[in-house]
Amino acid sequence: MFVDQATIHVKAGAGGAGAVAFRREKGVPFGGPSGGDGGKGGDVVLAADPQLETLLDYSYREHYKAGRAGHGEGKKRHGADGDDLVLPVPLGTVVKDAETGDRVGELLAPGDRLIVARGGRGGRGNAAFATPTRQAPRHWEPGSWGEERSLLLELKLIADVGLVGEPNAGKSTFLAAVSAARPKIAEYPFTTLAPNLGVAELSDVRRFVVADIPGLIEGAHEGKGLGTQFLRHIERTRTLAMLVPIDSPDLQATYRLLRNELLAHDAALDRIPFCVLITKVDLLPAPREVELDAPEAWEIFHVSSVTREGLTDVLEALWARVQEEKREERGDEERFPELEEWAR
Ligand SMILES: Nc1nc2c(ncn2[C@@H]2O[C@H](COP(=O)(O)OP(=O)(O)OP(=O)(O)O)[C@@H](O)[C@H]2O)c(=O)[nH]1
Ligand SMILES: [Mg+2]
């Protein structure tokens, strides 16, 4: 099951009440007011957690409450602040007010935090009301209530794998073959006008997000065809798959064109590892060894989305690769002490 939406009700902690007290001490006949202030109620905070993949945990429970604060006490003692309640959510979580639909914020990077309900203020104790002319005030304030609201959490999928290819390379067909996504597929170029996302599932727990983007043509980086504006959908992917159809007139030229267009769009894409999928292999009778020189790729696969030849191998390899990249990302994080502390 892939849960990408949940509604929760959050309630911040109430502030503590201020105290009314007077100093009673041996040898001090008229002690002044000594009622301390109440503490501040705990906030409800969402925190982006790179270990989480779904909002599944939030489908089991709806109500979440931060700690209430302690009341003020005599001897001008402050009440203790309430504990914040920190709720971990996966990266890419978009938060909306469930009643108004207003966007509250989003959590994209590890360490992102968002206060979604503020704890109540503590009330003042009578010590705070003393003035030169009013030396024995009996005033005190109650704490204020913590904020309370219903939130809609939505997981905006961040693609793990991006499919890159010329128009008609078979990107949408591949996505449809490996996920429940149903993108439009047709034998004419530029069928896909906006990126499609799908979740490829090897099993319930082994899944990753695949992005199918519009076809790239020569000169795309100069705005030809649909241009490259949608390439930003793959800038944060963990690996790319370049699709080269087995029936293209010159596989090597197709491969070179794709790489050139990507790097012309953004040289930084060079850091994203990629494999090559030679697609539509059912069009040629076996044995169909094709020559393609692609030393930059981490592997070359032969697949058919029609006969499903090679699909399982590709999915297993993509899964392994995505895990490897995730591990590396987490390794990088450990070098940032503030992130480490946050993760505890
Ligand atoms: N025989 C065969 N045909 C395929 C295969 N994959 C895709 N096709 C056909 O190739 C054509 C293009 O497929 P799409 O999946 O729409 O290609 P695309 O890369 O998404 O194309 P754009 O969205 O236009 O960029 C369609 O007619 C598909 O049926 C395959 O594995 N074998
Ligand atoms: Mg398409």
Side-chain angles (χ1 to χ4, degrees):
M1 181 175 40
F2 186 79
V3 173
D4 55 0
Q5 196 169 311
T7 305
I8 59 171
H9 189 87
V10 294
K11 189 173 179 182
V20 178
F22 294 94
R23 233 165 82 205
R24 298 264 178 271
E25 273 173 57
K26 254 190 197 156
V28 188
F30 299 104
S34 66
D37 301 339
K40 180 192 162 295
D43 298 330
V44 181
V45 183
L46 303 185
D49 183 342
Q51 311 278 350
L52 286 179
E53 309 261 350
T54 71
L55 291 165
L56 187 65
D57 292 344
Y58 296 101
S59 63
Y60 299 127
R61 197 176 135 196
E62 196 187 337
H63 290 271
Y64 296 89
K65 245 166 117 172
R68 60 174 308 137
H71 299 313
E73 289 177 45
K75 299 186 183 160
K76 296 193 182 171
R77 279 201 300 256
H78 258 261
D81 289 343
D83 289 330
D84 289 344
L85 177 66
V86 179
L87 301 174
V89 294
L91 308 188
T93 299
V94 177
V95 186
K96 292 180 182 161
D97 187 301
E99 270 134 47
T100 62
D102 289 345
R103 195 185 167 90
V104 178
E106 63 183 7
L107 298 102
L108 294 178
D112 280 359
R113 290 168 78 97
L114 183 68
I115 297 177
V116 289
R118 286 189 189 275
R121 267 188 312 107
R124 287 178 294 174
N126 68 336
F129 290 95
T131 63
T133 53
R134 197 171 57 175
Q135 295 188 353
R138 303 197 67 87
H139 299 293
W140 61 282
E141 291 171 334
S144 50
W145 293 110
E147 285 177 344
E148 188 175 354
R149 70 206 298 199
S150 287
L151 298 173
L152 177 64
L153 307 182
E154 285 174 327
L155 184 57
K156 185 165 82 178
L157 297 181
I158 297 175
D160 296 307
V161 177
L163 304 180
V164 178
E166 288 187 295
N168 270 339
K171 301 179 292 297
S172 301
T173 311
F174 179 81
L175 180 71
V178 302
S179 77
R182 288 293 161 258
K184 190 168 163 198
I185 293 168
E187 69 283 6
Y188 53 82
F190 299 117
T191 313
T192 301
L193 298 174
N196 297 303
L197 292 182
V199 181
E201 282 194 40
L202 285 152
S203 66
D204 215 24
V205 289
R206 298 197 305 148
R207 63 169 94 80
F208 54 91
V209 180
V210 182
D212 160 32
I213 64 165
L216 272 188
I217 60 165
E218 186 161 15
H221 71 278
E222 296 160 337
K224 293 225 178 83
L226 293 178
T228 51
Q229 82 278 25
F230 45 78
L231 281 179
R232 66 191 163 77
H233 290 272
I234 58 166
E235 278 164 5
R236 296 180 59 196
T237 57
R238 297 184 161 109
T239 186
L240 299 175
M242 288 199 196
L243 280 70
V244 178
I246 202 164
D247 62 342
S248 28
D250 183 344
L251 279 77
Q252 196 66 47
T254 303
Y255 169 74
R256 216 174 310 118
L257 177 149
L258 292 175
R259 236 180 107 62
N260 289 347
E261 287 304 324
L262 280 186
L263 298 184
H265 164 71
D266 182 357
L269 288 173
D270 201 25
R271 80 189 151 72
I272 306 182
F274 68 91
C275 62
V276 172
L277 307 188
I278 297 186
T279 59
K280 311 190 189 182
V281 295
D282 57 287
L283 292 178
L284 284 194
R288 34 180 124 76
E289 279 312 307
V290 290
E291 287 291 310
L292 179 67
D293 185 31
E296 304 90 348
W298 52 265
E299 190 144 357
I300 300 178
F301 297 95
H302 293 70
V303 298
S304 164
S305 301
V306 172
T307 63
R308 304 192 64 84
E309 180 179 338
L311 289 188
T312 311
D313 288 350
V314 170
L315 289 186
E316 289 288 346
L318 286 173
W319 161 258
R321 187 77 207 193
V322 167
Q323 296 316 301
E324 203 176 300
E325 296 297 320
K326 282 187 181 176
R327 267 194 301 277
E328 229 165 78
E329 287 162 29
R330 284 198 286 267
D332 284 348
E333 278 150 27
E334 274 153 28
R335 277 184 243 131
F336 296 102
E338 67 273 28
L339 279 176
E340 239 184 69
E341 193 176 324
W342 160 82
R344 270 197 283 275

